[in-house]
Amino acid sequence: MAKPREILIVWALLMALSLTLAFAADVAHASRLGAAMIGVVAAAATLKANLVLRTYLGLRVAPGALFGFTTAAAVTLLLVAASFLLFATPQ
């Protein structure tokens, strides 16, 4: 079980990553979202998923499950990012 101090630190990291996602995604001007920013969004979301799985779901004691779930999240985000890059309609 994670200690309260660790939970607070991970929460702060999750909030920082949320801000990173908000700025990288530039939701006010989504048409300017380029390949690099889509990569940043996917990487930050994968890191957030890993932090939640490891800390809040306690998968640090099951490294195989942590790897499997993180990989599944990363592949899903990669597919979503690729679909944005390949099938986005220019404005």
Side-chain angles (χ1 to χ4, degrees), residues 22-66:
F23 286 116
D26 193 14
V27 292
H29 304 95
S31 62
R32 296 189 306 204
L33 192 59
M37 286 303 136
I38 289 175
V40 169
V41 168
T46 301
L47 183 55
K48 283 180 70 170
N50 183 277
L51 285 170
V52 169
L53 290 167
R54 185 169 22 118
T55 305
Y56 293 104
L57 296 181
L59 289 183
R60 99 176 26 153
V61 297
L66 176 63

Side-chain angles (χ1 to χ4, degrees), residues 6 8 16 19 21 24 27 44 61-62 73 79-80 86-87:
E6 180 184 4
L8 182 63
L19 287 174
L21 284 168
V27 292
V61 297
L79 290 171
V80 170
L86 296 174
F87 303 114

Side-chain angles (χ1 to χ4, degrees), residues 5-24:
R5 178 176 162 85
E6 180 184 4
I7 289 174
L8 182 63
I9 291 170
V10 170
W11 176 82
L13 284 171
L14 288 170
M15 292 302 106
L17 285 168
S18 293
L19 287 174
T20 301
L21 284 168
F23 286 116

